[in-house]
Every structure is written in C-alpha cells, then in structure tokens.
Amino acid sequence: MQASPVHVSSDDLYLFNTGQLFQAYRTFGAHVTHWEGREGVRFVLWAPGAREVNVVGDFNGWNGWNKVVDMRPAGSTGIWVGFGPGLREGDRYKYEILGADGERRLKSDPFGFRSELRPNTASIVAKLDRYEWSDGEWMGARAGRKPYDRPMLIYEAHLGSWRMDAPEQFRDYGRLAEELVDYVCGMGYTHIEILPIAEHPFDRSWGYQATGYFAATSRYGPPEGLQKLVDNCHRRGIGVLLDWVCGHFCKDDHGLRRFDGSPQYEPADYRMAEKPLWGTLAFDFGKPQVQSFLLSNALFWLDVYHIDGLRVDAVASMIDLNFDKPEEMRTTNLYGGTENVEALQFLRKLNETVFRYYPESLMMAEDSSSYPGVTSPTYLGGLGFNYKWNMGWMNDMLRYMETDPEHRSSRHSLITFSMHYAFSENYVLPLSHDEVVHGKRSLLNKMPGPYPEKFANLRLLYGYWMTHPGKKLLFMGGEFGQFDEWKDYAGLDWDLLRYPLHDSMRKYTERLNAVYAARPALWELDHRPEGFEWIDVNNAPQRMLSFQRNGGEAERPIVTVCNFSRDGYGAYRIGVSSPGTYELVLNSDESDFGGSGAPMPTRVSASEAPMHGKSYSIEVPVPALSIQLWQSEASSRGHEDM
C-alpha cells in the first residue's frame, strides 16, 4: 500500500467525513513515506473532539512534550495529520490525546497495521505490501465461480487452539500454513473459516472483542505469516473466510471507547451504546466517519490479505435496538419500532460496497432473527448478503438429536420443519463453535446413549446435515468426535485418534465429505425447491425419514434413508422415482466407520411396487441409528415429475 506524502487530499477528507472513503486504510494510520526529501512516517488520525494530539513512542521517551511528530488538524475536518522524520518500520507508537473532557489518554491507532503482543498494547509501524503472492491462478478464477451451485464445506477453526504445544504456546501463521492447510485438504473441505483475528486484548474473547481492527493479531506472528497462510490455502484450492465483528467493540482503555474524550465511535445515548450482554459498546452506524472506518475495514481484509469472504457476526444484535437489554435501556426508532434503522442501512451499504469492489466475495450473516430478506438484493429491500446461517435448523436438529431415541417420535417435526422455509434464504447449515462451549457439551457428548451409540447418533446427524439443502459448516474437532466441549485455552484432543471409535469417526467424516463433493445432486440445486423431494416425511412412529436430492438434468438423484430409532429392519421398502439399479453410496453402519458392520447389499433393483406415491420402490436393510445414501444408475427425469 503506497501512502501519500504528509498532505492529505481534500477529496479523501471529504469522502471520509461523508461515509464514502472505502479504502481509508490507504490514507489513515501510520505509513512509511518520503516528505520534502526526508524518509519517515506519516500519521493520519480522526479525532474530532481532541484539543491536542501527539505521537509518542520509544523515539521520544513516550513523552508528548517531545514532539518528534507535529500533529496538526486538517482544517475543521476533525482529522489530524503529521510527519515523523527518521521514524521507520518497526517503531512502536501510540497517540496521546488531550480529549474534549480535558483528560489525556494513550490510545492505540485505530488504523494501525500491527500491534504488540498482548498484554502490551502499542501499535507498530508496518508495511503490508512486502509479501510476494503466488495465488494468481486462484484469484483469477475466483471471479467466475458462482457459489450457489457449487459444493461448500467449511471447516471453522480457532487458530490458537486447533493445535497447541503447551498453554499459550500457539502455532504461528507459518506453521499453520503447512499443518492446518494439509489437514483441511486431506479431509476434503472446500473452505476454512477463521474465528476473528483482529487484534484483541483477551485470549478468551476468541477475537470477538477487538481493539485493533486493521491489525492481524500478533499472537500468531507477523502479518506476512497470515498472508502466507491465505496464499497457501489458495494454492491448494481452499477458500478462506474470516469472522468479522462490526456489531460491537471492547471497552479497554487503549481502544476505541471515548477515543477523543467523547463518544466518537459509539452512540452518545448510553442506551444505544451499551451491549450489557457482552460488556461492550456498539458502533454508531449512522455516523459517516464510522461507516468509512468499518466499510474500509471489510475491504481491507479482502484486499491486503486476499480473504474470500466475511461472516458477519451477531447481525441479530445489530438490527434489534433492544436485543438482550433490560427494560430501562429499551428504545424505539423514529417510526416507533424496535428495528435499528441505521444498522439496517449500514448492512445494506456494507454488502453493496463489498460486491462493488469484490463481486465474487462471500458475505454471510450470522443471524438468529426472523428478519426477512437477509439474502435478498438491496434493490428489492433485502440486506444483500449472499448467505445466512440457518440457526433455526441448527437449534431444532440438535434438540431432536439430544432426545433419547425412544422419545423422538413425539418430536418428529423438529427435523422436518426446516423444509417449510429452506428456500426462503440462501442458507449455510452451521454446527459451529457456539454450540460446543459454555456448558453446552461437545456434539458427541450431546448424543444420548452409551459411548458406541453416541457415535452412531453423531454419524446419523452428520449424514442428515450433509444431505439437507444448504451449504455446510463444522467446527474443528467435530470431525473426530471431540468429547469434551471446546477448551479455548488448550489444543484439541488429538490423542483421541488413538482410540478406534474416534479414528473411525474421522474416517467417516472424510468419506462423507468426499461423497458430498463428488455428487452434484447434493449441492447443485441447494437453493431451489426442485433440488429436494420428500419420499416419506410422516413416519414418526418408526422415527424414519426418507427423501431424494436432485441435481441438474444430467445428474442422478440420491435417495437418503434415515433411521433415528434403535430398531433395525431387515427389509424396509422405500418409494423411488425410476426403475433400474440403485447403488449404495454411503452406509454409516459400516464397521470401518465404527458401526455394526451388518451385511448390506451394494446394489438393489427397483421393482414396480408402488410406495410413498411413487410407481417404483426398493427394499433395503436399515440398521438402527443409521443413514444410507442410494444413487440411481440412470436419471429419473422423464419417469415421474419432480
């Protein structure tokens, strides 16, 4: 990123103050440059309420009276500009701000590109244009990829605890670029989603409470290491998504809170500013300069780090003025409603801006609300995301699976209701970190029954998840049956792979991933009703479920048979759409996967025995707590209407 000299153009000043400087990181922050024949660092800061701004660091003994950098206001714009001759990359610095309230504060740079390793909090002058990228082929092909009719299987990872040598001894970005990427490729995932990596002071916030929005956390090494991690993903054919938090920020003194001695980034009304559930502050989404800051930050990760998309955290908390707030903090908007109109406008602007600059990006809303049109275009009144996490499916599915199989018949609708709205948005089906922390137990430990039965239930859950319409996301450790809930302060329990059931679970997940990727019927029509067809949706007494996934005209349908009970059946008849032979694609009860290994035919022939409203049917054995996938050897199109 090439900085301008100490002069800042009037265009940039105007655009920033009107919410339209979408690459503000090229202007603001600390940039190594030349000015009047001298090399040094230019500093640009927005602090409209400040009476005085000084840059302090090792170079002046952290003493604002020793003015190595002469920071001056750029007219009445609220922006301060200065040049430090002789300063260089690697220098530590903060802003000493005499605020509107008369107090002096030391603040990290909101646009700082690198931070000290916590618990230290200074910003560090850094260049981010040194890394030599080798992902040109990926970046060139990315524009032609349409995500909706392609497989998407996301591995969600917290970089600090994926593998750990000892407490707080994290793998660095460079090591993860080899080990994590090798693992994800070997398991057959298409994307990695990384929990937030903007600099944050507290490890156990997992990055969701940030202070340095433009600084990749120093916990895992320098910025070039993260660039290498993304680069290696791309060279291996893996997309990279980043959890991005624009809904709130933490209150630490060196961060954004009362940055210039007044509510600068947060709303002035404490009822709007405070997030009591998390102890954080909301951004003032209606303030143009905050819009420039946040929109630039979104583009920054896509530009400087080649990130392929953003998962926007906590959308429900942004768009509801009273989300988890006590009665005395509740407010209404200008129209008397509880929608945060400014947040809704910001989210539309966010997606419009991202897709203007990076039309191939993935923009995903982590939204637990029922707000309509999250993935509809903004010109139709939608929010403009291209994906939304299906939190309703996740909650219903886990409630059902946690129920003892003997009692599941009364809860049958929990696993069928999602199809009433499955095509109202473009959905991702998340089995994420949020479901395996804070006493919720791991996915494996949620499953009822003795240890082997827990694995059978988990294989069944994953099979149904993989064949249900929607893209997929699984949190790390779920693939091998992590038994303890996620411990953010320690690495995953990789030693479990020494035990047969856990190793078999990993093999099953790898096989399921491969089946998914190789069969377009499981993803080609994910967002269209013709891609899904119930066969038998009403067999609650036996806790059985069967359906068909369809791809394009040339694709062979896949019939899925789920048995959520402890009762097995030696011969179970299922209606199918076409005659001919059906091949067994996957059987979760195989001994290699930890199942019983009961005999199972690899092919069956359909007979002209009507069943489930179909003219043909197949008869197959169905083990207890199992899922099977059968694929016809000829397309069913033309035999019966889909």
Side-chain angles (χ1 to χ4, degrees), residues 573 576 579-580 605-610 615-619:
R573 188 163 290 277
V576 293
S605 296
S607 60
E608 292 190 49
S615 300
Y616 309 91
S617 61
I618 57 175
E619 190 173 83

Side-chain angles (χ1 to χ4, degrees), residues 375-398:
T375 59
S376 294
T378 57
Y379 62 80
L380 294 178
L383 294 187
F385 289 93
N386 47 18
Y387 280 99
K388 172 180 175 172
W389 277 23
N390 193 336
M391 311 295 279
W393 172 88
M394 178 273 298
N395 282 310
D396 286 349
M397 195 68 210
L398 292 182

